[in-house]
Amino acid sequence: MSSSFELSREHEEFRQSVREFAEAEIAPHAAQWDRDHHFPVDVVQKMGKLGLFGLTSPEEYGGAGEDGDFTSLCVAIEEIGRVDQSMGITLEAAVGLGINPILSYGSDEQKQTWLPDLVAGQALAGFGLTEPGAGSDAGATRTRAELVDGEWVVNGAKQFITNSGSEITSVVAVTARTGTLGSTEGEGKAEISAILVPSGTPGFTAEKPYDKLGWRASDTHPLTFEDCRVPEANLLGDRGRGYAQFLATLDDGRVAIAALAVGCIQACLDLSVQYAGERQTFGVPIGRKQGLAFQVADLEVMVHASRALVYRAAAMKDSQKTGLGAPVKDFKQAAAVAKLYATESAVTATRIATQVFGGYGFMEEYPVARFYRDAKVLEIGEGTSEVQRMLIARGLGLPVE
């Protein structure tokens, strides 16, 4: 595939099938799941049967193989996110943060053990990077893993971990300090590795789920590890490469989060156009008023620009499969640009949509209120807006810290 970002006919046909599923199976229940903070395992498994979790995986693990690609995943996330951001982030995290690290860095045995159920949507995996004192500064990881008698003994805590404590969560990949690297300055630098910790392992606890502002129907927990023991073979990838592996994983995730933001903007546009044509003030539809109509026009610009940035970055990612595609540094830059613009646009879009709906926009019975709450975290997860600006500036050659 070239790095062109025009979607193919097959992608658009796939979009339609995902849209029909989302509108039939998710849209009618999204508000209730949000109110109840309910994680709908049955619907997640239906998404699995539709093949959504296997879009970037080889056929040998039950994935789409040559029939799937990263662009297809972004299409699916956008369409699910158009009706429910919680289910959109569930899909994004399940593939980008759950499956991707195992697929990219796992041993043959690890892949055979975990991927078939994850790809089928019968199980979920978490990505344990963020800690109470290590968010954007992921290198400040405090969780430790010590090799004792052929086992990793893990101690520490993680927070804000998606898909980490559901009834179908099977494993969490955890970054931990596994030693100290030498340094020319005489100070040791932390050696950070990634380790697979299966659910149910003694000493591994998914604490009570968070009471969140948004994404209320997604599964998010703090995690604690107290003398949690797993086999030495549960090391994911090379020892000491855990931090680098997770940073590379986040590049893909940024594009996927941007796709989720596109779904949010599209929903705001659709809802606003419909409402502006129906709601009457002073004897005419409010869409007759320039002050309002111009804001809705801005939503149209945002969704087109955001979508173009997302699928350009996704096409660059897919082009790398041949080894002849876009350079990694160009993809990293495109991912940061897409993530920054689309997520900040989504927050603006929900503010505009809420304004279009007036007092009704402040009421939970209208979906714009839910999208308003859901949007803010898009600017935070998978790298904050500030981190994206730093990465973009560095990509331009600026020595920014």
Side-chain angles (χ1 to χ4, degrees):
M1 179 178 179
S2 72
S3 59
S4 164
F5 53 87
E6 183 176 348
L7 293 184
S8 67
R9 181 173 57 83
E10 289 78 14
H11 284 126
E12 292 297 353
E13 289 172 353
F14 175 66
R15 177 191 296 281
Q16 188 58 38
S17 68
V18 178
R19 177 172 296 185
E20 289 169 3
F21 170 85
E23 290 180 346
E25 300 288 346
I26 298 175
H29 313 289
Q32 191 64 49
W33 295 337
D34 178 78
R35 280 192 292 273
D36 296 342
H37 294 238
H38 172 66
F39 182 68
V41 170
D42 58 328
V43 173
V44 171
Q45 292 175 330
K46 286 180 181 178
M47 289 163 62
K49 288 186 172 66
L50 196 61
L52 302 189
F53 295 100
L55 291 168
T56 58
S57 294
E59 288 183 21
E60 63 185 293
Y61 306 115
E66 291 299 314
D67 291 332
D69 54 19
F70 185 69
T71 297
S72 297
L73 175 63
C74 290
V75 168
I77 291 168
E78 179 190 335
E79 287 301 322
I80 299 292
R82 195 175 67 88
V83 299
D84 185 6
Q85 292 277 292
S86 287
M87 287 298 96
I89 189 57
T90 298
L91 173 60
E92 189 278 333
V95 180
L97 303 181
I99 290 171
N100 193 28
I102 298 174
L103 186 61
S104 299
Y105 307 109
S107 65
D108 288 341
E109 184 178 354
Q110 288 168 344
K111 291 177 185 178
Q112 294 292 348
T113 299
W114 302 111
L115 288 180
D117 283 347
L118 296 175
V119 167
Q122 298 306 300
L124 293 170
F127 177 88
L129 177 64
T130 303
E131 296 187 1
S136 295
D137 183 11
T141 295
R142 290 285 174 265
T143 297
R144 295 183 178 274
E146 186 180 3
L147 198 54
V148 180
D149 298 330
E151 291 184 314
W152 292 107
V153 182
V154 185
N155 284 281
K158 299 291 180 178
Q159 69 177 10
F160 313 143
I161 310 303
T162 305
N163 295 340
S164 61
S166 76
E167 63 187 72
I168 58 171
T169 299
S170 61
V171 66
V172 177
V174 177
T175 48
R177 290 174 172 240
T178 50
T180 304
L181 300 170
S183 171
T184 53
E185 287 83 24
E187 290 185 9
K189 183 181 178 185
E191 175 191 79
I192 297 176
S193 306
I195 295 169
L196 294 171
V197 181
S199 299
T201 302
F204 168 29
T205 305
E207 305 290 352
K208 181 182 176 184
Y210 293 101
D211 184 9
K212 294 173 293 188
L213 172 69
W215 287 0
R216 289 179 175 174
S218 76
D219 178 80
T220 320
H221 299 261
L223 308 178
T224 56
F225 303 90
E226 298 178 5
D227 291 331
C228 177
R229 293 175 175 266
V230 299
E232 183 176 359
N234 281 30
L235 179 72
L236 180 63
D238 297 330
R239 179 168 178 166
R241 294 289 297 164
Y243 185 47
Q245 291 167 190
F246 274 45
L247 288 180
T249 298
L250 287 174
D251 287 329
D252 295 4
R254 284 168 182 147
V255 183
I257 284 282
L260 183 59
V262 172
C264 179
I265 303 167
Q266 185 68 59
C268 289
L269 174 62
D270 295 343
L271 292 164
S272 296
V273 168
Q274 181 182 2
Y275 190 76
E278 296 172 354
R279 171 71 168 156
Q280 300 262 334
T281 61
F282 306 103
V284 297
I286 58 174
R288 287 276 295 272
K289 309 299 182 184
Q290 280 192 4
L292 185 140
F294 285 4
Q295 291 189 71
V296 177
D298 286 342
L299 296 180
E300 172 78 352
V301 175
M302 285 180 212
V303 78
H304 280 287
S306 297
R307 188 175 282 126
L309 290 172
V310 167
Y311 291 107
R312 173 177 176 267
M316 291 171 74
K317 173 66 180 178
D318 284 327
S319 75
Q320 293 174 343
K321 288 190 293 189
T322 63
L324 302 173
V328 171
K329 67 179 180 58
D330 291 353
F331 169 65
K332 285 178 174 288
Q333 188 80 337
V337 168
K339 203 275 183 185
L340 176 64
Y341 182 82
T343 60
E344 292 198 343
S345 294
V347 172
T348 301
T350 61
R351 180 178 55 77
I352 290 172
T354 303
Q355 191 74 12
V356 168
F357 275 70
Y360 291 113
F362 201 63
M363 302 302 154
E364 288 288 359
E365 65 190 278
Y366 286 83
V368 289
R370 172 162 49 87
F371 281 107
Y372 189 91
R373 289 187 287 100
D374 286 338
K376 181 57 197 171
V377 73
L378 295 168
E379 296 180 319
I380 298 170
E382 308 258 15
T384 62
S385 290
E386 291 77 12
V387 166
Q388 304 315 310
R389 287 187 167 90
M390 178 184 71
L391 294 172
I392 293 165
R394 285 178 181 172
L396 295 171
L398 299 175
V400 65
E401 292 184 352

